[in-house]
Amino acid sequence: EHLLGQNQSINKIAKQLSRAPSTISRELKRNADQRSQKYSYDLANRKAQKRQENRSRRCSYTAEIQSYVEQKLELKYSPEQIVGVARNEGVDCVSHETIYRKIWHDKHQGGNLYEDLRHRAKRYRKRGAAKDRRGKITNRQDIDLRPVIVEERNRLGDVEVDLVIGNGHQGALLTINDRVSGLVMIEQLQGKQACEVGAAIIARLLPYKDSLHTITSDNGKEFAGHEDVAKALEIDFYFAKPYHSWQRGSNENLNGLIRQYIPKTQNIHQLNTSYIAEVEKALNDRPRKRHGY
């Protein structure tokens, strides 16, 4: 607009702006005022913005992809797992960010796709450094004493354990996972007394005794029988620091996945063992990012 005001030709304007003369000519024809043919940078900018807003866009999230994504969501796959599996299967898919955007859009429209996500759009609880008021477990070995090789995650046999409690503290599930393979074990409990929990751990892990190295839990009183477990399985039992759940991150993640099948509102006493076995199998059949899906 400034150079036109100086009565400069299209060729001279193009040279000063390092553009082709045809580019300048098209700009004038496209964005000048249609009645007066006068060129204004403000009008040209508004026209360009409106043209951008109204341009047709290629829809990459096709009906086929949508159907594929929704089928995998029903299997409780995360968007990242869906993309990884699609890549392995040679199926065209969008990015996991796009899938998340579609899920949130569906939620805002009153849909329920978000209910198949692990956290269902809930926020993570903030990690705190509050004092431990749960008491001390006799002869506990702190996680600081655990061999460094466990943190490296390059050998089988380092497991984590925890409990998933039912609604109204009715029943509990013992959850066990291997830190490397991701192998999941779930055992239904009638209560969470230390003797029952210890016996369940021993019974479930005894067939793998020769392959076990360490076991790590939180500081719940239900693991007060850790010495009996360590003696029976001939392994070292370690405890994470109080309120440091990320030190057992694999097991915390597992418990969150279990909640997709057994919500907090569920009375665990009402579940039968066959359903628990189905949940365990479904979790063990999930594609793992660590193993290339």
Side-chain angles (χ1 to χ4, degrees):
E1 179 184 358
H2 176 71
L3 296 176
L4 284 172
Q6 296 178 349
N7 293 322
Q8 294 198 27
S9 67
I10 289 178
N11 286 334
K12 288 185 177 180
I13 294 174
K15 187 175 181 180
Q16 292 190 56
L17 298 182
S18 300
R19 296 290 186 273
S22 59
T23 300
I24 304 302
S25 177
R26 284 196 301 271
E27 171 66 15
L28 294 175
K29 291 179 180 178
R30 184 166 45 216
N31 291 330
D33 187 294
Q34 295 299 312
R35 289 172 294 182
S36 65
Q37 299 302 311
K38 184 178 180 180
Y39 183 85
S40 163
Y41 80 89
D42 181 60
L43 175 62
N45 188 52
R46 284 188 279 114
K47 281 189 171 186
Q49 288 180 342
K50 186 174 182 180
R51 192 179 295 114
Q52 182 73 9
E53 292 171 359
N54 295 335
R55 72 183 178 90
S56 60
R57 292 177 172 82
R58 183 177 66 88
C59 180
S60 58
Y61 196 72
T62 63
E64 290 78 10
I65 292 177
Q66 179 178 342
S67 176
Y68 180 84
V69 168
E70 292 180 1
Q71 288 175 13
K72 298 302 183 184
L73 284 173
E74 290 179 0
L75 296 176
K76 309 302 182 186
Y77 286 13
S78 71
E80 196 169 7
Q81 287 174 319
I82 293 172
V83 175
V85 171
R87 187 182 303 117
N88 284 351
E89 294 179 348
V91 176
D92 288 334
C93 195
V94 293
S95 67
H96 67 275
E97 292 94 342
T98 298
I99 295 175
Y100 273 118
R101 284 198 299 270
K102 294 297 182 180
I103 292 173
W104 302 145
H105 178 73
D106 177 75
K107 180 183 179 182
H108 294 152
Q109 298 296 317
N112 59 0
L113 290 179
Y114 74 96
E115 294 181 357
D116 288 319
L117 294 178
R118 174 182 165 186
H119 293 288
R120 301 183 183 182
K122 294 179 181 177
R123 293 179 180 273
Y124 281 103
R125 220 175 91 188
K126 188 177 180 180
R127 295 171 178 171
K131 294 181 180 178
D132 181 17
R133 296 186 177 88
R134 301 181 69 181
K136 299 296 182 181
I137 295 177
T138 306
N139 297 328
R140 68 183 289 281
Q141 287 195 96
D142 192 82
I143 196 171
D144 287 342
L145 302 175
R146 195 174 68 175
V148 176
I149 191 174
V150 180
E151 199 63 33
E152 295 174 354
R153 294 179 184 262
N154 57 16
R155 71 175 183 182
L156 297 171
D158 295 305
V159 301
E160 300 173 345
V161 297
D162 197 9
L163 294 189
V164 171
I165 309 300
N167 184 37
H169 293 270
Q170 297 298 308
L173 298 174
L174 169 67
T175 64
I176 306 173
N177 68 284
D178 182 78
R179 285 172 57 86
V180 172
S181 66
L183 179 69
V184 174
M185 302 179 190
I186 307 175
E187 195 70 26
Q188 190 173 20
L189 304 173
Q190 294 304 310
K192 58 175 186 174
Q193 291 77 20
C195 58
E196 183 181 354
V197 173
I201 294 174
I202 293 171
R204 197 65 200 268
L205 290 180
L206 197 58
Y208 308 95
K209 176 181 175 181
D210 294 338
S211 302
L212 298 176
H213 300 290
T214 67
I215 186 169
T216 305
S217 76
D218 63 14
N219 291 272
K221 286 300 212 178
E222 57 269 18
F223 299 113
H226 63 96
E227 291 178 291
D228 293 333
V229 174
K231 182 179 179 181
L233 299 176
E234 298 180 7
I235 60 174
D236 294 315
F237 200 119
Y238 298 95
F239 290 85
K241 295 184 182 299
Y243 301 100
H244 285 58
S245 59
W246 57 93
Q247 292 180 336
R248 312 166 15 264
S250 298
N251 192 264
E252 290 293 328
N253 181 66
L254 166 61
N255 293 346
L257 295 173
I258 289 174
R259 288 300 190 187
Q260 290 185 280
Y261 302 89
I262 306 172
K264 291 183 178 181
T265 56
Q266 176 71 55
N267 183 335
I268 291 178
H269 281 321
Q270 297 176 349
L271 300 175
N272 55 49
T273 54
S274 61
Y275 180 73
I276 300 297
E278 289 177 10
V279 173
E280 181 179 305
K281 184 179 186 302
L283 292 175
N284 281 322
D285 287 345
R286 284 170 64 88
R288 310 268 183 183
K289 182 179 180 180
R290 75 185 84 166
H291 302 313
Y293 301 98

